[in-house]
Amino acid sequence: MKFASLLALCGVSCLAAAQAITYQNLSSTNVRVDTGQTGPAVEEVHYYYDQWPIGLAVSKQGRIFVCYTRGTYAYTLGEVVNTTAETPYPNIAINTPPGGLSTTINGIPFASNSNTTFISVQALYVTPDDTLWVLDTGRPSTNETEDLTMPYAQLGGPKLVAINLTNNSVVATYTFPASVHYPDSYMNDLRFDMRANATASGKGICYINDSSNEGRNGFIMLDLGTGESWRQLTQHPSTLRTFEDVPSYQGIPFYQRSPGLPLTNIQEGLDGIELSLYGDIMYYSPLTSDYLYSIETQYLRANPANDVLSSQRASNNVKNLGQRGGNANGFSSDSNGAIYMLMPEQNAIYIYNTTSLQAESFVRDPRIIWPDSSNVGWDGYIYFNINQLPYQPDWNNGTDLRQYPGVILRAPLPNGGTKSTVLGPRD
Ligand SMILES: *[C@@H]1O[C@H](CO)[C@@H](O)[C@H](O)[C@H]1NC(C)=O
Ligand SMILES: *[C@@H]1O[C@H](CO)[C@@H](O)[C@H](O)[C@H]1NC(C)=O
Ligand SMILES: *[C@@H]1O[C@H](CO)[C@@H](O)[C@H](O)[C@H]1NC(C)=O
Ligand SMILES: *[C@@H]1O[C@H](CO)[C@@H](O)[C@H](O)[C@H]1NC(C)=O
Ligand SMILES: *[C@@H]1O[C@H](CO)[C@@H](O)[C@H](O)[C@H]1NC(C)=O
Ligand SMILES: *[C@@H]1O[C@H](CO)[C@@H](O)[C@H](O)[C@H]1NC(C)=O
Ligand SMILES: *[C@@H]1O[C@H](CO)[C@@H](O)[C@H](O)[C@H]1NC(C)=O
Ligand SMILES: *[C@@H]1O[C@H](CO)[C@@H](O)[C@H](O)[C@H]1NC(C)=O
Ligand SMILES: *[C@@H]1O[C@H](CO)[C@@H](O)[C@H](O)[C@H]1NC(C)=O
Ligand SMILES: *[C@H]1O[C@H](CO)[C@@H](O)[C@H](O)[C@@H]1NC(C)=O
């Protein structure tokens, strides 16, 4: 029926209905639309044009340090110098392992064993005393665009390095024995409890997530006083990837397509880790799980070398806190004890509220295309990297679908939250 004859048939009421059709585009429709935004305004802080970032940390003075996993990048640890550029930190020499990033022993590729230079830095953290902690996986890829061949680590390569930000010099280096860091381990991030009573040595403890996509996930603990390290919850189901998980990013179901390999799924295990305000509880989850877990840190701090039942006890004390509403990639916390969880499927950051025992939406924004690594600054903002990881060539059959620039975003924390200094030391 033509419109004119329809009008003749039903008169004014049909005309009103016809005029109510407003759909032309999203800005002119009168139908309810998902704006993609929730929570406080998100600000763009820095743009990456040269290298895709992974980790970041913000110092007490507001200096921003960033790192990049690498194969061919010129440097792996950098400092933001202006809105569009970073420079090697503290200098290019320490970013340049002698003899290259990797080598070949009896025909098998191995990563550099240099314990004095940075090979491939995955994560950064600034403790309340304004020390920058640098976590080097010691496992470079051979080429950023084709990172299938990740050589095994050698003793010395995987390390934790402390840099005093006042004079920009290395003040401590910790390496890991083969019984703790397996050749196929992949250390991902770190959190600290520097209080004197955290360990017998009195110098504090570092908790590290081993997210290796090659299998043996779990926690690595390092006593900063003795340099001793140990593992807990290795291959506990709560640290393992979800079998054949298919997340959705930007509304598209995601399968991993690695060049030369059969279609698969994301393989990384244990991912988000964060301490409660007073350091007594560790919250954690694998990358491809919707479940949040926790364990009292006393069970992680127990060194199996001194207590044969410690692994059993840790395993027996894992708590399943239920689902949170999606996969999560990396956690942070603030002075109110809120646990921030980066949510790559939702383009969002959620909070696990330890009082209401529920996940809550904090911020959501269409620019949050794979939030990766967040840090809370002394200025009351949460800073986070956007690196478009699901678009990297290694997950897209060799095609790089990322679009420069990468970006650092920030959002103001709720309820006056800021950097927590409870777990000290303070200066
Ligand atoms: C979308 O709708 C707005 C408001 O009616 C209008 O100003 C704009 O020109 C439209 N855009 C397109 C591409 O049609
Ligand atoms: C940012 O710093 C880089 C490197 O030092 C420099 O080349 C560039 O001109 C600077 N850009 C601005 C806008 O200041
Ligand atoms: C890295 O791999 C890509 C894709 O195979 C290739 O085009 C490029 O030349 C390689 N770069 C280096 C520095 O080897
Ligand atoms: C960092 O170095 C400065 C200057 O040497 C010193 O005053 C400060 O105590 C050091 N910070 C720490 C945490 O050791
Ligand atoms: C930097 O400060 C640390 C800690 O105070 C000190 O041990 C180190 O010698 C200083 N390094 C330089 C190059 O001044
Ligand atoms: C670094 O390697 C050298 C030479 O092998 C060794 O003497 C030193 O103890 C190592 N340092 C650490 C922190 O592992
Ligand atoms: C360390 O002491 C604080 C109080 O100062 C206490 O709350 C905390 O539980 C203690 N930590 C350990 C591991 O005993
Ligand atoms: C990757 O590309 C190759 C060459 O086009 C193709 O044969 C293969 O099926 C693709 N792999 C996947 C997992 O899509
Ligand atoms: C957590 O929930 C409690 C109780 O519902 C509420 O008072 C508090 O503000 C919430 N905290 C955050 C950080 O949202
Ligand atoms: C540990 O592991 C993942 C990588 O798989 C990082 O992206 C996370 O940020 C993480 N760290 C924390 C502190 O949650």
Side-chain angles (χ1 to χ4, degrees), residues 7 15 24 32 39 41-42 52 78 116 132 152 171 211 223 230 241 270 290 308 322 324 347 351 362-364 409:
L7 190 61
L15 184 61
Q24 305 300 329
R32 187 174 186 178
V42 171
W52 286 103
T116 52
L132 175 66
Y152 290 132
V171 289
S211 324
D223 183 322
W230 61 94
R241 62 182 175 243
L270 178 64
D290 288 357
V308 290
R324 93 192 108 218
N347 310 96
I351 291 174
F362 162 51
V363 71
R364 190 167 72 107
L409 300 176

Side-chain angles (χ1 to χ4, degrees), residues 219 233 238 270 272-273 282-285 292-295 318 331:
F219 283 90
L233 298 185
S238 64
L270 178 64
I273 63 169
M282 175 67 77
Y283 296 94
Y284 68 95
S285 66
L292 177 68
Y293 299 91
S294 74
I295 184 169
V318 168
F331 295 173

Side-chain angles (χ1 to χ4, degrees), residues 319-332:
K319 286 186 183 147
N320 183 334
L321 303 182
Q323 294 197 352
R324 93 192 108 218
N327 288 182
N329 176 37
F331 295 173
S332 274

Side-chain angles (χ1 to χ4, degrees), residues 141-189:
S141 50
T142 47
N143 174 347
E144 279 86 27
T145 52
E146 188 98 43
D147 67 354
L148 286 176
T149 36
M150 183 176 278
Y152 290 132
Q154 290 197 77
L155 181 66
K159 58 188 163 295
L160 178 63
V161 175
I163 298 180
N164 180 317
L165 291 177
T166 308
N167 63 12
N168 302 310
S169 62
V170 170
V171 289
T173 301
Y174 302 88
T175 55
F176 301 87
S179 57
V180 172
H181 189 288
Y182 310 130
D184 63 355
S185 288
Y186 194 90
M187 297 189 295
N188 240 302
D189 212 342

Side-chain angles (χ1 to χ4, degrees), residues 311-357:
S311 299
Q312 199 66 45
R313 217 172 264 123
S315 181
N316 292 353
N317 280 281
V318 168
K319 286 186 183 147
N320 183 334
L321 303 182
Q323 294 197 352
R324 93 192 108 218
N327 288 182
N329 176 37
F331 295 173
S332 274
S333 66
D334 69 7
S335 54
N336 293 323
I339 304 294
Y340 297 91
M341 306 180 290
L342 306 181
M343 306 293 291
E345 292 182 282
Q346 286 73 18
N347 310 96
I349 300 177
Y350 288 178
I351 291 174
Y352 179 70
N353 184 323
T354 55
T355 307
S356 72
L357 308 182

Side-chain angles (χ1 to χ4, degrees), residues 102-139:
S102 55
T103 182
T104 304
I105 302 172
N106 295 330
I108 300 169
F110 278 94
S112 164
N113 64 357
S114 169
N115 69 14
T116 52
T117 59
F118 296 130
I119 298 164
S120 186
V121 176
Q122 169 75 23
L124 306 172
Y125 195 79
V126 175
T127 40
D129 61 345
D130 217 24
T131 296
L132 175 66
W133 295 86
V134 181
L135 187 66
D136 186 349
T137 63
R139 296 193 67 195

